[in-house]
Amino acid sequence: MQNGRYCVLNKSKLQESFGFDIPTVLIDDRLAEAIIDYATVNQVTYLSIDSTLIWSYIKLPPQLLASLEDLTLKFMNIQFPKACYAAFLRSISLESVNIQNDSLLSCINLEDFFTEHCEDMMILISAPKLETIVFSLHCDSIANISLGTCPFLESVSIDFDHDLKCENEKDMIQSCTYAKDIVNFLNGVSGVSSLTFSTRTIEALSAFPELVKNMPSPFNNLKSLKVLNSYRRKYIVVPPEVKTFLVEGSPNASELLKGLQSDLEK
């Protein structure tokens, strides 16, 4: 039942599932807090909130994360617990979400982790069953995301938002630091079989080939390498050092390089 700008939500029969498909204009700070309280008390397994009116940072209690299997948040400011054990959480999806505090999440059953247009992320995640990562983040966040050992990780797609500038020494240092963070991140996801870059991510790597010169490729199981032209850019020349870093360890390196070249020419 809708009452003004707020909604009274009916409990599901078993009080196990909880989600929203209502106009985002109806959700503001007060309603968002009520939703979180309801979900926590009823130990829901699914929570989805989509809002454009939440300006305060909404706290996610550890008791809530402990019961969830699926968490989807859009256009919100949130606070994760400083430390939390989320044993049942299998999927996290964050779009245009700002995270205020640093957090340690232990998610032993997490399989999928999606982010898009997120800033200020400072997360350490222990997720040994993680299979899929899709990251679209501001460049300042890449160094603040740390993953533990992920032996089942298969697919990684990354788009790190950075306007590459080399006009002066300060710009060069900032862009080089960003490229280093990308290299460090890639070394941390070495077991993947599928890797997808945005054009601006591959461009950042290509601008500083010395970072991966003589560095062995971490990808011994890579079977798919793609570049998505996320925005129109001049033709990108990928230096040999970067190509070697990406595919040298793969058994089908020549095929991957052909596909990479084809993607760049589109």
Side-chain angles (χ1 to χ4, degrees):
M1 180 175 66
Q2 187 173 311
N3 181 12
R5 294 179 58 203
Y6 301 94
C7 291
V8 178
L9 302 165
N10 294 324
K11 298 179 181 180
S12 63
K13 185 176 180 180
L14 297 178
Q15 297 182 338
E16 291 182 346
S17 184
F18 196 54
F20 290 92
D21 187 17
I22 59 177
T24 57
V25 72
L26 296 175
I27 305 180
D28 60 7
D29 294 12
R30 180 179 169 186
L31 180 55
E33 291 175 352
I35 291 169
I36 296 298
D37 289 344
Y38 176 95
T40 302
V41 170
N42 289 278
Q43 297 182 322
V44 300
T45 59
Y46 165 75
L47 178 63
S48 176
I49 303 178
D50 181 352
S51 178
T52 56
L53 289 178
I54 300 177
W55 304 110
S56 302
Y57 278 88
I58 305 299
K59 294 181 179 180
L60 300 183
Q63 299 94 325
L64 171 63
L65 294 174
S67 67
L68 285 176
E69 294 180 11
D70 188 304
L71 175 64
T72 299
L73 302 175
K74 297 181 181 181
F75 302 101
M76 289 184 64
N77 299 320
I78 63 172
Q79 288 182 353
F80 275 115
K82 284 288 185 180
C84 180
Y85 182 62
F88 302 107
L89 197 58
R90 296 184 180 276
S91 177
I92 298 176
S93 179
L94 307 175
E95 180 180 345
S96 298
V97 170
N98 296 326
I99 300 176
Q100 185 180 44
N101 59 316
D102 56 337
S103 182
L104 168 61
L105 301 180
S106 179
C107 309
I108 60 172
N109 287 302
L110 188 67
E111 297 176 355
D112 303 310
F113 189 15
F114 302 91
T115 72
E116 184 174 0
H117 306 305
C118 294
E119 298 183 13
D120 301 328
M121 293 187 66
M122 295 176 287
I123 299 180
L124 172 62
I125 293 183
S126 175
K129 293 185 179 180
L130 193 62
E131 297 178 358
T132 303
I133 294 175
V134 179
F135 280 168
S136 176
L137 300 168
H138 189 271
C139 62
D140 293 341
S141 296
I142 179 175
N144 297 326
I145 296 178
S146 180
L147 302 172
T149 303
C150 304
F152 299 102
L153 190 61
E154 295 181 357
S155 177
V156 172
S157 176
I158 54 176
D159 175 17
F160 293 117
D161 180 10
H162 177 71
D163 187 11
L164 190 66
K165 296 180 181 179
C166 299
E167 298 175 359
N168 52 55
E169 184 178 358
K170 182 179 179 181
D171 289 341
M172 285 284 290
I173 292 174
Q174 184 178 22
S175 294
C176 185
T177 299
Y178 165 57
K180 287 179 181 178
D181 291 338
I182 294 177
V183 172
N184 291 335
F185 178 84
L186 292 176
N187 277 312
V189 294
S190 58
V192 298
S193 58
S194 176
L195 187 60
T196 302
F197 292 107
S198 65
T199 46
R200 52 190 170 191
T201 304
I202 198 73
E203 182 184 35
L205 283 175
S206 299
F208 301 94
E210 65 276 8
L211 294 178
V212 295
K213 186 177 182 180
N214 300 323
M215 184 180 291
S217 174
F219 305 111
N220 297 320
N221 192 42
L222 195 62
K223 299 175 182 177
S224 174
L225 177 62
K226 297 180 180 180
V227 176
L228 300 180
N229 199 347
S230 53
Y231 67 125
R232 280 291 152 197
R233 191 61 115 169
K234 64 182 183 299
Y235 180 72
I236 301 172
V237 177
V238 182
E241 296 91 339
V242 175
K243 292 179 179 178
T244 298
F245 172 72
L246 293 176
V247 306
E248 185 180 45
S250 172
N252 57 337
S254 59
E255 293 181 14
L256 293 177
L257 285 177
K258 289 179 182 178
L260 174 63
Q261 193 65 33
S262 177
D263 286 345
L264 291 172
E265 292 175 354
K266 290 180 180 178

